[in-house]
């Protein structure tokens, strides 16, 4: 069974993933990774991941929260989300159209570039002992470089050698950013460490093998204690979090073109299709079949 | 014995090696990798290697020959030497000072960058079935990009994140160059293939194990036939070529700071110090000790 999971993982094995986020509320065009939310103004629900995310805002206003701190983002602004920082976003109710790009950078792949100092740069970031500032003033010279490189990536995205231009820009962004600064209290503490360890456990195991029992055991905690601790740090019960994580994997598989829904269910970590179906509807607001139609319709546009 | 050789090899494990070439004939300042030649105007003897070399000319005039074709290089010009292309250079007798930079790029390390199309780009280059043009007209837009990126590398060479800027520029150079063009007759022929296989054999084996017997055997040729073929393609007898190759390894070790000359002799592939000493003097025009003094003197400058 293992190889199936590995295969899905490999597909995402890219240094940089660019997502174009368009919210056209007038014509009801929302991104395919944005299934109907309870609140239509939510453009990115509360979540966290190992990748570094750069957000670059083109049109409209978005209010992003990183680690609880709100940032009002207007065209031309960018935001840096460090690994494992919980973040969420809502579009401003005054805006009919909101457009921004999310650049997700895989630090573990970045570390493999043939550059001597990269582990020195990214290890503190991954362990949470250091972080980049979330934003830089409009006049900051580093901010100008970052903006220019993000524009360069977008300008070359359709060219034959797009990936080479992307690596070039990513390297220049990190060269300009320099060393991350030592995180203030909160980073690298036991609390942040718990969050990190949970995410890494979930990401590095076959989703079908991840359970409350297994993860509690891996922490040497009893189930009740782990449950309380998890809810305290993540704001949601462990099972809810895990199901959302698995359903998001299913979304990615469907968006990637897989139309065999029972295979999607299995690959994303569900042993029973009926349970997958129920959870899919709960998380996405639509059934797997409706999501397929939704994606197909968007693709034709 | 193997690990010693491996250790020396790792030291050179860099994507890009930049050599500053300064020939100040007035003050007799010559590069440390340029031991006294029989002809003081030789700035780069006839040789070939697996790396791609970019030459960027700053001051004075150099006449380079690539695969027999001469190129007169003036300030602002650059030259591309494809893998395994034999090349040599002489400085113009009218110039008191000649200055240029040699950028050596390791294609095998380049191929490891997380970019999908890189093998497609570099494999034909390494096999000789395709090549980049040696030079581009001054008005060519790609030429302008290459010049700008080479300047960018030189401008950031002293900065903390120099390697990141270097990868960025290297990626942009290859993105601008695009696919190498199919080599005209000569490239990828059996003749070029023989040259390639010889170089690869010498580079990938412990130098102490490389001998006329061993390499002839690896080609399934008898010694006499191999000797004739080698001389025809390389212009020098195999033993001369091998000794020069080993002595150049010794130069690199000394320049890298190794002052234990018997260790240098062993690492560069000589079992007997007396023989090493004799060959060193023959190739370099000075004894190993004199070369150490020469390097130390240059370092202090």
């Amino acid at each position: 069974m293992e190889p199936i999971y590995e295969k899905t993982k490999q597909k995402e094995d890219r240094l940089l993933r660019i997502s174009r986020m368009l919210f056209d509320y007038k014509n009801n065009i929302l991104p395919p990774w944005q299934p109907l939310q309870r609140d239509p103004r939510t453009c990115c629900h509360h979540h966290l991941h190992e990748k570094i995310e750069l957000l670059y805002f083109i049109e409209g206003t978005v209010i992003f929260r990183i680690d609880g701190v709100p940032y009002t983002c207007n065209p031309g602004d960018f935001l840096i989300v460090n690994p494992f920082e919980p973040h969420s976003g809502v579009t401003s109710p005054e805006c009919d159209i909101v457009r921004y790009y999310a650049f997700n950078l895989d630090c573990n792949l970045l570390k493999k570039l043939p550059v001597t100092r990269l582990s020195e740069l990214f290890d503190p970031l991954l362990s949470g002992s250091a972080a980049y500032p979330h934003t830089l003033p409009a006049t900051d010279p580093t901010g100008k470089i970052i903006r220019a490189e993000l524009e360069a990536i977008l300008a070359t995205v359709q060219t034959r050698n797009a990936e080479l231009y992307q690596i070039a820009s990513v390297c220049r962004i990190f060269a300009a950013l320099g060393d991350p600064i030592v995180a203030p209290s909160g980073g690298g503490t036991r609390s942040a460490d718990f969050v990190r360890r949970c995410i890494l456990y979930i990401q590095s195991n076959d989703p079908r093998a991840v359970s409350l029992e297994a993860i509690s055991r891996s922490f040497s905690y009893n189930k009740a204690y782990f449950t309380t601790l998890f809810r305290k740090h993540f704001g949601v019960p462990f099972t809810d979090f895990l199901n959302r994580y698995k359903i998001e994997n299913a979304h990615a598989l469907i968006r990637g073109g897989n139309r065999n829904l029972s295979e999607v269910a299995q690959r994303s970590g569900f042993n029973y299709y009926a349970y997958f179906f129920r959870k899919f509807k709960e998380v996405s607001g639509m059934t797997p079949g409706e999501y397929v139609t939704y994606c197909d319709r968007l693709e034709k546009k």
Side-chain angles (χ1 to χ4, degrees), chain A:
Chain A
M1 293 298 236
E2 287 293 301
I4 295 179
Y5 178 58
E6 279 310 304
K7 214 175 144 193
T8 16
K9 273 180 82 186
Q10 273 182 357
K11 265 200 164 174
E12 300 285 293
D13 220 25
R14 300 193 64 169
L15 188 82
L16 170 65
R17 233 183 53 210
I18 309 168
S19 310
R20 181 170 174 262
M21 312 295 257
L22 169 65
F23 301 82
D24 181 343
Y25 292 103
K26 243 185 189 162
N27 302 303
N28 199 31
I29 301 171
L30 298 170
W33 48 84
Q34 174 70 8
L36 299 169
Q37 301 270 351
R38 266 170 221 156
D39 175 4
R41 285 287 164 185
T42 302
C43 61
C44 150
H45 70 84
H46 190 74
H47 73 300
L48 49 83
H49 42 67
E50 200 181 3
K51 295 186 175 181
I52 297 187
E53 189 163 346
L54 266 105
L55 299 157
Y56 185 49
F57 301 91
I58 308 292
E59 204 174 346
T61 301
V62 190
I63 294 103
F64 254 89
R65 278 180 177 273
I66 308 179
D67 249 343
V69 179
Y71 296 89
T72 303
C73 306
N74 290 308
D77 290 349
F78 66 85
L79 267 188
I80 303 174
V81 184
N82 292 290
F84 302 112
E85 280 179 338
H87 54 290
S88 60
V90 288
T91 59
S92 160
E94 286 109 60
C95 300
D96 275 344
I97 296 183
V98 171
R99 201 155 53 92
Y100 65 92
Y101 289 89
F103 299 82
N104 274 279
L105 289 156
D106 189 318
C107 298
N108 291 308
L109 280 179
L110 275 167
K111 269 168 61 180
K112 285 187 193 155
L113 291 179
V115 170
T116 322
R117 287 189 59 250
L118 283 186
S119 287
E120 216 180 290
L121 218 66
F122 292 116
D123 285 343
L125 220 56
L126 288 169
S127 76
S129 65
Y132 286 117
H134 296 137
T135 185
L136 290 166
T139 51
D140 188 283
T142 302
K144 278 183 195 164
I145 295 172
I146 293 175
R147 228 162 289 144
E149 295 300 338
L150 295 178
E151 294 280 358
I153 293 176
L154 296 176
T156 52
V157 83
Q158 298 286 351
T159 63
R160 198 165 153 78
N161 291 313
E163 281 176 289
L164 281 171
Y165 288 114
Q166 287 170 15
I167 292 198
S169 289
V170 166
C171 286
R172 288 200 182 163
I173 287 172
F174 284 105
L177 277 169
D179 291 0
I181 49 173
V182 174
S185 62
T189 62
R190 191 175 296 187
S191 135
D193 194 48
F194 176 78
V195 170
R196 246 167 225 112
R197 278 176 64 200
C198 286
I199 299 284
L200 286 180
Y201 181 90
I202 294 168
Q203 284 181 343
S204 56
N205 284 283
D206 183 326
R208 276 158 298 181
V210 177
S211 66
L212 181 57
E213 286 73 22
I215 195 168
S216 308
R217 213 181 312 120
S218 91
F219 278 78
S220 306
Y221 292 158
N222 71 45
K223 262 165 60 178
Y225 179 67
F226 179 86
T227 306
T228 317
L229 207 60
F230 191 93
R231 198 184 179 120
K232 187 182 149 209
H233 287 294
F234 284 80
V236 287
F238 174 73
T239 324
D240 286 14
F241 183 89
L242 183 62
N243 280 329
R244 183 176 266 283
Y245 173 80
K246 288 179 180 179
I247 294 299
E248 277 168 6
N249 277 348
H251 288 167
L253 288 170
I254 293 172
R255 287 199 310 273
N258 197 329
R259 295 292 176 263
N260 181 342
L261 292 178
S262 68
E263 198 189 294
V264 166
Q266 228 199 22
R267 281 195 187 179
S268 52
F270 292 90
N271 288 320
Y272 302 102
Y273 189 80
Y275 186 66
F276 164 73
F277 185 91
R278 187 145 54 87
K279 287 297 153 195
F280 195 101
K281 200 170 169 190
E282 220 174 279
V283 170
S284 324
M286 52 178 107
T287 67
E290 282 165 359
Y291 188 70
V292 165
T293 317
Y294 178 71
C295 288
D296 286 344
R297 189 166 53 86
L298 274 163
E299 218 161 77
K300 273 184 210 137
K301 271 186 188 172

